[in-house]
Amino acid sequence: MITGATSGFGKAMAQAFAREEFRLIVTGRRKDRLDLLVSELTGEGKAKAAALAFDVRVQKDVEEAVNSLPADWKNIDVLINNAGLALGKSTLENGDPEDWDGMIDTNVKGVLYTTRTVLPLLKNSSSPHIVNVGSIAGTEVYPGGNVYCASKHAVNALSKSMRQELLPYGIRVTQIRPGLAETEFSLVRYKGDAEKASRVYDGYDPLLAEDIARIACFAVQSPARVCINDIEVTPTAQANAFMIHRND
Ligand code: NDP
Ligand code: 8X3
């Protein structure tokens, strides 16, 4: 089950896991995109996939959506907590509290609600695995990153907590912490300003969604005795959260 599969990393992960013949539950708010993705994944009988449209910020909706799965789709082995976003890049002083709520509710509470709901199902699996998509912003900060960074620091802490608490159940917990990757992330952060969004990726080769999907597949397909705990991955042109080498 992959949250945030209508775009970016989540969509690329769905495509990559489908090629590996996983059965997929793809989720997100935009049902039209989910339905298109399911048709693409299941076309020519290639893969089995189901769509669940819900908002990770609303605990009741998360629970109702997961509970609505038919019994034979409830045998979830892998949960990928990927849905997330940044909203704005202002200083705290100039920040919009609505943006802060959006990031905290999605990136932190969304991971909590989804994990809490899916955990009882994962406990029935013989190879249970949770993959959390954190960020380089989960271990570093940069000006204007404040609340987004705080939310991803929370994902870092929650990934470590999950690894401790789920140890008795043999549930692997992997955190992937990407640096700059060209998806719809910046378009969302800059609220539809495509020019501002595209400037984020000017002058260097950013990561692509398929790079993160490959890493997720590697972690999930590693032998059951192996838990890849944490992977930080950046473009070759990026040294840390704020040093980027641009050719311009
Ligand atoms: P995209 O904007 O391309 O994809 C974000 C996905 O999250 C969409 O499928 C969106 O679906 C989903 N989503 C957002 N809010 C909600 C919500 N309330 N309920 C359900 N789904 C939601 O960005 P990315 O693929 O880049 O982002 C994926 C993850 O990777 C995020 O957690 C992000 O913080 C993280 N990340 C991104 C980096 C980057 O540079 N791109 C780097 C490091 C981490 P929908 O709108 O249909 O609900
Ligand atoms: C997204 C990467 O550097 O914009 O998590 O925070 S960054």
Side-chain angles (χ1 to χ4, degrees):
M1 175 169 159
I2 303 172
T3 68
T6 58
S7 166
F9 299 163
K11 183 176 177 187
M13 286 178 194
Q15 291 163 331
F17 280 104
R19 285 194 293 275
E20 299 297 320
E21 299 184 0
F22 277 70
R23 228 160 44 120
L24 293 157
I25 302 165
V26 288
T27 82
R29 289 167 301 180
R30 287 169 288 185
K31 188 166 181 329
D32 51 338
R33 288 199 186 197
L34 290 175
D35 290 343
L36 267 178
L37 179 61
V38 167
S39 322
E40 181 205 315
L41 299 174
T42 56
E44 300 159 23
K46 283 182 298 197
K48 286 195 174 146
L52 266 192
F54 63 89
D55 187 329
V56 296
R57 294 172 299 180
V58 186
Q59 185 185 1
K60 188 171 121 307
D61 291 4
V62 176
E63 290 175 354
E64 279 178 9
V66 173
N67 291 338
S68 76
L69 285 166
D72 62 337
W73 281 88
K74 282 195 169 127
N75 51 351
I76 296 174
D77 298 306
V78 182
L79 167 65
I80 305 190
N81 282 312
N82 163 73
L85 79 186
L87 294 169
K89 204 176 174 187
S90 304
T91 58
L92 277 183
E93 190 179 12
N94 296 317
D96 181 343
E98 270 188 34
D99 288 346
W100 302 347
D101 288 345
M103 290 185 273
I104 292 168
D105 289 350
T106 309
N107 301 352
V108 185
K109 293 186 184 173
V111 169
L112 291 170
Y113 297 152
T114 309
T115 306
R116 188 177 195 273
T117 306
V118 175
L119 254 179
L121 307 179
L122 278 179
K123 283 184 178 172
N124 295 324
S125 165
S126 56
S127 54
H129 199 151
I130 296 175
V131 178
N132 292 330
V133 179
S135 168
I136 192 170
T139 48
E140 295 184 44
V141 293
Y142 52 87
N146 43 63
V147 176
Y148 178 69
C149 295
S151 73
K152 289 297 185 179
H153 273 64
V155 174
N156 187 37
L158 291 173
S159 300
K160 291 178 186 173
S161 302
M162 287 180 199
R163 202 170 300 115
Q164 291 177 3
E165 292 179 7
L166 302 178
L167 197 59
Y169 306 100
I171 301 182
R172 297 190 283 177
V173 179
T174 297
Q175 181 182 210
I176 305 176
R177 292 184 300 108
L180 291 157
E182 189 162 10
T183 61
E184 293 181 14
F185 178 83
S186 292
L187 197 62
V188 172
R189 173 170 240 173
Y190 294 118
K191 302 176 182 174
D193 185 336
E195 206 177 311
K196 209 166 171 183
S198 80
R199 279 204 296 274
V200 174
Y201 310 109
D202 272 355
Y204 67 100
D205 271 341
L207 295 170
L208 301 179
E210 66 209 50
D211 301 324
I212 307 307
R214 191 177 311 113
I215 290 168
C217 282
F218 173 75
V220 168
Q221 292 185 310
S222 292
R225 66 181 176 279
V226 178
C227 184
I228 312 277
N229 293 335
D230 189 75
I231 302 182
E232 178 177 297
V233 52
T234 63
T236 303
Q238 181 179 19
N240 57 35
F242 44 84
M243 281 182 72
I244 299 129
H245 184 73
R246 295 178 197 262
N247 305 309
D248 49 14

